[in-house]
Amino acid sequence: MEKILEIKNLNLGFNTDSGYHQALYDVSYSLEQGKTLALVGESGCGKSVSAMSVLQLLPKNAQITDGEILYSNKNLLDFSPNEMQKIRGKKIALIPQDPMTSLNPLFTVGDQLLEVIKIHQGVVGEEAVKKAIESFDAVQIPSAKERLKNYPHEFSGGMKQRAIIAMALACDAEILIADEPTTALDVTIQAQIMELMRQIKEEKNVAVLLITHDLALVKENSDEINVMYAGRIVEKAETEDFFKNPKHPYSVALLNSIPSNTVKPLSIIKGQPPTISQQISGCRFHPRCSKCFENCSETIPLLKEIENNHYCACHLY
Ligand code: SF4
């Protein structure tokens, strides 16, 4: 399967008043056409930061010290702001947690979609309106022609998310970065949006990077899972394999903390993930790990293949 985006050994940190603090350690993952990769972990583990570095939408104090982000075999980190402008939104589109961050409340949704069509497809007038209606139809927004005249506040949360996806489709995006795309929605709408993204992935053969803290969501909606903890990828596996056979103690603890319909009591992961300014020797999970042993606080466990296509960074393996 062709890799459309490859993040290689990304090291990134933030310059603050108290010095440089590393947030990502040797993060590597790749996206394939027509597949969904889920990046999973608690808030602050670095999953969104790694995705924002792909789009170069990082805060000013962020600094990438090493690594590559390869798109069509070119390193995006070498691109100028103008070159990135042509990629962002067109080839690589963001589906944000809060769609209002992408929609301008002062313009109708239709005007905003028509602007995207004009910029990216060079089409205006009647033909552009026809394409806008087709885009709304594709994301199942009913009464598309009338809805184009609405302002964002006249759309529900789920409809706004559909409109953002319609804009990505209008640009013929090859990669969708969905950053907690359903967190702000209620459960039934969450399922509809995930179903829509699955259909689009299959029909348009786009690659999806799904960033979430919700393991239940990724079970049905991803092909591969990468689990991140405190700036490192600690486990990567195909989704089915991961849920049948999780390896890393952090992944096991996360799975045990998901509510299920069995009588098994829920377990909690003791303690808190470290902040980026906290220095932790050896395995960064060791202060919270129930399997921790002597070597864990001294030596950093490296991510290695422990079974066919199943990688884990833990001294138990
Ligand atoms: Fe736990 Fe040690 Fe494995 Fe880290 S390396 S996850 S502390 S067993």
Side-chain angles (χ1 to χ4, degrees), residues 12-15 20 49 58-64:
L12 176 152
F14 295 96
N15 294 301
Y20 176 80
V49 170
L58 292 166
K60 280 208 173 77
N61 65 338
Q63 189 184 349
I64 293 174

Side-chain angles (χ1 to χ4, degrees), residues 248-250 283-287 289-293 295-297 299 301 313-316:
H248 196 279
Y250 176 59
C283 170
R284 289 174 69 73
F285 187 54
H286 87 258
C289 181
S290 60
K291 307 266 184 200
C292 179
F293 59 101
N295 192 22
C296 299
S297 60
T299 314
C314 172
H315 293 310
L316 291 173

Side-chain angles (χ1 to χ4, degrees), residues 32-244:
E32 292 172 5
Q33 282 183 318
K35 298 275 181 193
T36 296
L37 168 71
L39 265 189
V40 179
E42 289 163 285
S43 296
C45 69
K47 52 194 193 306
S48 292
V49 170
S50 80
M52 290 309 119
S53 51
V54 172
L55 293 164
Q56 294 186 23
L57 290 175
L58 292 166
K60 280 208 173 77
N61 65 338
Q63 189 184 349
I64 293 174
T65 53
D66 202 6
E68 291 180 316
I69 298 175
L70 299 175
Y71 167 71
S72 297
N73 294 322
K74 293 190 187 107
N75 188 0
L76 292 183
L77 298 179
D78 296 333
F79 277 35
S80 67
N82 273 349
E83 286 171 318
M84 263 323 285
Q85 194 81 35
K86 290 179 192 147
I87 299 276
R88 200 187 299 124
K90 184 168 185 184
K91 297 293 179 193
I92 309 176
L94 176 67
I95 316 284
Q97 179 175 344
D98 176 5
M100 280 312 283
T101 57
S102 300
L103 290 170
N104 188 329
L106 300 177
F107 296 93
T108 65
V109 180
D111 282 344
Q112 296 177 63
L113 179 55
L114 290 169
E115 183 67 13
V116 168
I117 290 169
K118 181 176 146 195
I119 293 170
H120 294 294
Q121 298 185 22
V123 178
V124 291
E126 286 291 299
E127 204 185 331
V129 173
K130 196 168 153 247
K131 282 186 180 288
I133 292 170
E134 283 168 8
S135 299
F136 267 18
D137 285 342
V139 296
Q140 296 145 25
I141 293 181
S143 313
K145 198 171 175 186
E146 284 69 45
R147 293 301 249 161
L148 287 172
K149 296 173 196 148
N150 289 158
Y151 286 86
H153 74 267
E154 295 174 282
F155 274 39
S156 65
M159 283 295 167
K160 283 187 204 118
Q161 218 43 314
R162 286 174 193 270
I164 299 286
I165 296 170
M167 287 184 195
L169 292 182
C171 311
D172 278 333
E174 294 174 340
I175 298 170
L176 295 183
I177 296 181
D179 190 358
E180 305 274 8
T182 59
T183 304
L185 307 174
D186 65 40
V187 179
T188 49
I189 308 296
Q190 270 185 16
Q192 290 171 13
I193 294 292
M194 292 315 301
E195 173 59 26
L196 175 64
M197 287 186 50
R198 200 164 45 227
Q199 276 174 20
I200 287 167
K201 178 190 78 167
E202 280 160 19
E203 283 165 19
K204 308 267 179 188
N205 206 26
V206 297
V208 179
L209 177 60
L210 174 62
I211 298 163
T212 181
H213 63 278
D214 185 346
L215 270 175
L217 188 81
V218 301
K219 190 173 185 181
E220 305 298 328
N221 295 292
S222 68
D223 301 287
E224 187 192 329
I225 292 181
N226 282 209
V227 179
M228 287 191 77
Y229 184 79
R232 285 187 187 278
I233 292 181
V234 295
E235 182 159 4
K236 55 169 75 194
E238 284 168 18
T239 301
E240 207 183 328
D241 183 22
F242 175 82
F243 279 95
K244 275 190 195 147

